Amino acid sequence: MSEPAITPELVAKHNLTSDEYQKVLEILGRVPTYTELGIFSVMWSEHCSYKNTRPVLKTFPTKGAGILVGAGEENAGIIDVGDGVAIAFKIESHNHPSAVEPFQGAATGVGGIIRDIFTMGARPVAALNSLRFGELSNPEVRRLFSGVVDGIAHYGNCFGIPTIAGEVCFDKSYEGNPLVNAFALGVLRHEQITRGAAHGIGNPVFYVGPATGRDGLAGAAFASQDLTDESAEQQRGAVQVGDPFMEKLVCEACLELLATGVVAGMQDMGAAGLTCSTCETAARAGTGIEIELDKVPQRAPNMTSYEIMLSESQERMLIVVHKGHEEAVKRIFDKWDLPWAEIGVVTDTGRMVVRHGGKVVVDVPAKKLADEAPIYFRESKEAAYMADVRAFRLDGVADTKDAPGDLKRLLANHTVASKNWVYRQYDHMVRDGSVVCPGSDAAVIRIKGDSLPVMSAALAEKVGDRPVPEKFVAFTVDCNGGYVYLDPYEGGKAAITEACRNLACTGALPLGSTDNLNFGNPHNPEIFWQLKESVRGLAEGCRAFDAPVTGGNVSLYNQRGALGSIDPTPTVAVVGLIAKAEHITTQWFKAEGDAIILLGAPVDTADPLQGLGGSACLKTVHGLKTGLPPRVDLEAAKVLHTTLIGLIREGVVKSAHDCSDGGLAVAIAESCFSNQVAKDTFRFLGASIDLTAAIAGTAPRLDALLFGETQNRVVISVAASDAGRVVKQAGILGVPAVVIGKVGGDTLSVKTPMGGFTSPVAELHDAWWNSIARAMA
């Protein structure tokens, strides 16, 4: 098949600017082949190169005492958790594919992030996800939502990894462009860390896994342009097709091969497929690589070099093996009944050379392709809508006249409501490491000896019979996109702060974070301003909580035609460590008669909107999405978190739940009924609340007191005999604390100077538990 002529129109079709194409000509010293043009197109896309965001990403804190593999070094970051054990984790997006083909888009997003973990030498042990959709009143949104959840469940359940945590939010801004961010975490010993580098001149290069097809062609490039109805239809072929059973086999075979000690480097074929895996491994090692496409397993006839190099067919890996040990690859992959092929060799040329049909079709300097994409410093300016946001006041917004009714409405809000319709489709118990399952502030898994990959003979001899102490790892994911839209800087701070607060409520200190920056078109100065400001807030928060960024993903161009851009959504996942099993804490009340204490100020009286700006209450009750969101005092937040963890370690805290969406009343209600003791069986514990003493000397609005989202607040329960000591100790440490009630009965009773109410807990639970299921029925 003859290749098309390289014309300005063809270059533009590959999303390369004239300046970028000129740089290609300078690098090659000639006109590129059609395949080379495609390769530069995908490798210099935003998805692979971060050409629009690299300067901003450099502002993140990425160093820390426990970091073994840091941001940008490899496929996933790795952090030490003690006793020679480490965790690898990362989050990535699959937004555009999920908008086009929700089932396969979401499924292959899970598959891709799992490969990022085991390519590091770690055994994947847990997954979570962060999802954003339009409003469920829209039938198309319900179709996308159902398809995405089905895809995540299918891949995770079949692979055998517990999907143990996550978040789902609904807002009209995501109607045309849902967000699907997938996270995975794995465990390994320090000595088992594997690098994605083509080391060793003369070492053979193996392709392992299923054959290459035409699915997923140029998926990275597709993810780096605006989504339109036309492009969505044209790019269905850019959505990969996943096979979780195949990936499980590939994972086990790769881990077994790593234990033989014959692997010099390993990289998954994710975005940009064979292209990315070859040029990146060579660039990292400072070597060259030469491959022969005739040797690549192919499941479609007459595939061109362009198609083979740019295909993103799933479950494939590139492995560099120490010369002379080729038989180990063949033996192990034959054992697992998996395809393999020796397709190339590591060279000393520094070039990626590709042959096909006896001809050289690609000859490119590997490092210039992988690491020297053009970098842009985009213009940014404050969004015009911010003037109205700052000017908004509560004048003319009526205070609540029906507090119990408004509480029910908030609990039934699909962003606030229980996500059981989602997580009941996931297996969150497989591998028997799950300790705190979906339904509390953060998930907790137990790392035990059999969680770790099998050791090589040499490592086993070195380690001996030394047991692996149990480790308890907590993790969560957070972002309030509405906050970020209304104030990107404060919204960025709020995202990392809430994630760390969720960890604190579980008893965990943060170890590190990984982020997924989801934004619109960076060529729009207002969009880029949102990105820069939110990253500034995120970075400040990561420094404050000592949660360095170990890697992540940038997903831009999340907008669709007249529907416009998504709310800026810098999703952040944070991983922490719990010192002892007895420190693991959950959000639900534990016993009748326990005292309920509020840690933190009930209302930020210095905030003219009293915590109602950008709140779920303002949006749900009044239909307004405006006003500056609650401010985040990072120093106060850090003191709150350390105080809470200290109280948990003393053994006095029975439950802890952070106040976030929906405010204090929602947090208390969720503490009353979120204890699921068996399938469809709950233990309800009511509460009698009196907020009179908590607001003494102030006069907040009732809706602000009950539903405002003032930051840095946690509701805890303790034995009545411990209440006085806990309040005193918190006060000494600088955390406002007050007893606001006690646990007991079957109603939630709330008393304030401005009025009160009593609601049956069962009714509140019904609104919260069944809201999404009713919308999806």
Side-chain angles (χ1 to χ4, degrees):
M1 183 183 296
S2 61
E3 293 190 341
I6 308 300
T7 64
E9 292 76 20
L10 188 62
V11 171
K13 190 175 179 181
H14 281 75
N15 289 323
L16 290 171
T17 67
S18 58
D19 287 344
E20 288 170 346
Y21 181 63
Q22 187 60 41
K23 186 172 181 178
V24 171
L25 295 177
E26 292 171 2
I27 289 171
L28 296 179
R30 56 176 170 78
V31 174
T33 66
Y34 179 54
T35 303
E36 288 171 338
L37 181 67
I39 284 173
F40 274 101
S41 171
V42 294
M43 290 305 299
W44 286 7
S45 68
E46 176 64 30
H47 190 84
C48 290
S49 72
Y50 299 148
K51 61 186 178 184
N52 293 294
T53 52
R54 207 173 271 191
V56 179
L57 299 179
K58 287 182 178 179
T59 64
F60 278 129
T62 57
K63 305 297 182 183
I67 292 182
L68 303 177
V69 177
E73 292 182 37
E74 294 286 349
N75 295 279
I78 298 182
I79 291 183
D80 176 30
V81 293
D83 299 298
V85 178
I87 53 174
F89 59 90
K90 189 182 182 185
I91 191 168
E92 279 205 345
S93 64
H94 235 219
N95 300 338
H96 281 190
S98 300
V100 175
E101 292 285 354
F103 178 89
Q104 289 295 353
T108 52
V110 175
I113 200 65
I114 289 173
R115 286 196 304 280
D116 279 341
I117 299 305
F118 72 74
T119 195
M120 300 299 302
R123 175 171 292 283
V125 295
L128 65 75
N129 52 74
S130 173
L131 311 177
R132 299 287 190 284
F133 298 92
E135 296 171 350
L136 288 179
S137 55
N138 184 330
E140 175 62 11
V141 171
R142 293 197 297 272
R143 183 187 73 84
L144 291 171
F145 179 40
S146 179
V148 164
V149 172
D150 196 14
I152 292 171
H154 170 74
Y155 210 100
N157 296 354
C158 293
F159 180 87
I161 187 172
T163 302
I164 194 173
E167 61 167 356
V168 190
C169 301
F170 301 89
D171 185 90
K172 196 172 181 63
S173 76
Y174 304 105
E175 188 169 300
N177 200 129
L179 302 184
V180 177
N181 296 173
F183 166 102
L185 180 144
V187 299
L188 72 168
R189 296 171 181 84
H190 293 191
E191 298 87 346
Q192 293 176 308
I193 295 173
T194 302
R195 298 286 182 168
H199 287 299
I201 308 304
N203 279 341
V205 176
F206 278 81
Y207 169 117
V208 299
T212 296
R214 291 190 172 99
D215 54 314
L217 278 175
F222 169 51
S224 303
Q225 57 183 298
D226 286 352
L227 183 64
T228 65
D229 292 342
E230 182 182 8
S231 71
E233 189 58 39
Q234 291 174 346
Q235 294 294 336
R236 291 191 185 276
V239 180
Q240 308 90 336
V241 178
D243 183 346
F245 299 107
M246 179 66 75
E247 178 136 320
K248 177 65 172 175
L249 296 178
V250 172
C251 175
E252 296 301 332
C254 286
L255 293 178
E256 183 176 336
L257 182 66
L258 288 170
T260 66
V262 306
V263 175
M266 184 164 70
Q267 169 93 336
D268 79 301
M269 296 187 204
L274 190 54
T275 288
C276 189
S277 58
T278 49
C279 72
E280 285 190 351
T281 53
R284 288 192 188 111
T287 59
I289 195 165
E290 189 168 321
I291 62 172
E292 174 56 69
L293 296 188
D294 289 327
K295 296 180 179 179
V296 172
Q298 300 165 44
R299 68 168 183 265
N302 304 316
M303 289 188 69
T304 66
S305 55
Y306 183 100
E307 291 170 332
I308 298 170
M309 290 301 294
L310 272 61
S311 168
E312 293 182 9
S313 294
Q314 296 290 283
E315 293 91 38
R316 304 175 301 157
M317 306 288 288
L318 192 80
I319 301 178
V320 179
V321 178
H322 292 298
K323 189 172 179 62
H325 295 278
E326 294 86 347
E327 288 304 316
V329 181
K330 301 171 184 178
R331 173 177 54 82
I332 289 172
F333 278 82
D334 282 345
K335 167 191 168 182
W336 288 96
D337 197 23
L338 288 168
W340 59 265
E342 186 176 341
I343 66 168
V345 65
V346 178
T347 69
D348 62 359
T349 65
R351 304 185 73 83
M352 180 176 83
V353 178
V354 180
R355 300 179 185 276
H356 193 199
K359 297 179 181 179
V360 174
V361 293
V362 175
D363 187 353
V364 178
K367 192 165 186 62
K368 287 187 178 294
L369 176 63
D371 299 337
E372 298 183 21
I375 300 297
Y376 297 106
F377 296 83
R378 295 295 179 195
E379 178 189 354
S380 68
K381 67 175 183 180
E382 182 176 287
Y385 64 79
M386 285 300 300
D388 290 337
V389 169
R390 289 197 179 93
F392 176 77
R393 291 295 181 267
L394 295 172
D395 305 334
V397 178
D399 200 344
T400 181
K401 298 293 190 293
D402 178 17
D406 288 344
L407 176 57
K408 278 187 185 179
R409 291 178 66 186
L410 280 166
L411 289 168
N413 176 301
H414 296 144
T415 294
V416 177
S418 168
K419 306 308 183 295
N420 71 86
W421 184 90
V422 175
Y423 66 71
R424 291 170 104 185
Q425 299 182 53
Y426 304 153
D427 186 337
H428 44 264
M429 295 299 292
V430 64
R431 294 194 58 80
D432 194 33
S434 304
V435 179
V436 177
C437 294
S440 197
D441 284 310
V444 180
I445 60 166
R446 179 177 67 253
I447 296 174
K448 47 197 193 305
D450 65 359
S451 302
L452 294 158
V454 63
M455 292 184 285
S456 66
L459 180 55
E461 184 177 352
K462 175 183 176 182
V463 172
D465 296 328
R466 185 180 72 203
V468 177
E470 283 192 332
K471 306 286 182 182
F472 295 94
V473 175
F475 46 96
T476 187
V477 61
D478 283 292
C479 181
N480 187 320
Y483 283 3
V484 184
Y485 172 77
L486 297 169
D487 188 334
Y489 171 65
E490 289 293 339
K493 288 198 296 181
I496 181 67
T497 303
E498 182 179 354
C500 291
R501 190 166 63 242
N502 283 334
L503 290 186
C505 287
T506 310
L509 279 171
L511 295 172
S513 59
T514 176
D515 58 72
N516 205 140
L517 307 179
N518 306 275
F519 290 83
N521 192 319
H523 297 268
N524 181 334
E526 295 188 353
I527 299 290
F528 202 73
W529 174 78
Q530 292 175 340
L531 191 154
K532 285 180 63 177
E533 284 295 289
S534 64
V535 167
R536 182 165 70 93
L538 269 179
E540 286 188 16
C542 289
R543 291 187 186 94
F545 303 120
D546 196 18
V549 175
T550 63
N553 177 239
V554 178
S555 175
L556 304 182
Y557 305 95
N558 289 293
Q559 54 192 61
R560 191 163 186 168
L563 294 173
S565 175
I566 62 163
D567 278 354
T569 310
T571 302
V572 61
V574 185
V575 178
L577 192 64
I578 301 175
K580 297 180 180 179
E582 54 266 34
H583 298 162
I584 298 170
T585 309
T586 50
Q587 71 183 38
W588 43 85
F589 295 143
K590 301 302 187 293
E592 299 260 357
D594 283 346
I596 302 170
I597 297 173
L598 174 64
L599 299 179
V603 178
D604 180 0
T605 54
D607 176 4
L609 302 183
Q610 300 181 39
L612 288 171
S615 67
C617 175
L618 202 61
K619 182 178 178 182
T620 304
V621 177
H622 301 284
L624 297 173
K625 182 179 173 180
T626 188
L628 289 174
R631 301 171 302 167
V632 179
D633 182 329
L634 292 174
E635 189 56 40
K638 188 172 182 178
V639 173
L640 170 65
H641 299 178
T642 54
T643 299
L644 175 57
I645 291 172
L647 293 169
I648 287 172
R649 290 180 174 179
E650 286 182 26
V652 296
V653 176
K654 292 189 174 184
S655 71
H657 186 25
D658 86 308
C659 297
S660 54
D661 293 346
L664 179 60
V666 165
I668 294 170
E670 290 175 336
S671 300
C672 289
F673 52 58
S674 53
N675 183 13
Q676 184 176 2
V677 295
K679 183 179 180 181
D680 297 324
T681 304
F682 298 84
R683 185 183 181 211
F684 296 157
L685 282 172
S688 299
I689 304 295
D690 187 345
L691 297 172
T692 304
I695 60 169
T698 63
R701 292 168 56 118
L702 180 58
D703 56 1
L705 177 61
L706 297 178
F707 312 125
E709 296 173 8
T710 292
Q711 296 291 288
N712 300 342
R713 299 180 300 165
V714 174
V715 173
I716 66 172
S717 65
V718 303
S721 58
D722 290 325
R725 177 166 66 91
V726 168
V727 169
K728 182 178 180 180
Q729 189 169 335
I732 291 172
L733 294 171
V735 176
V738 61
V739 175
I740 59 172
K742 68 177 182 178
V743 177
D746 58 4
T747 63
L748 172 58
S749 174
V750 178
K751 177 183 176 183
T752 79
M754 300 85 78
F757 66 89
T758 298
S759 292
V761 171
E763 288 185 11
L764 298 176
H765 176 265
D766 177 70
W768 176 78
W769 181 258
N770 294 310
S771 177
I772 291 178
R774 286 172 179 144
M776 296 300 291

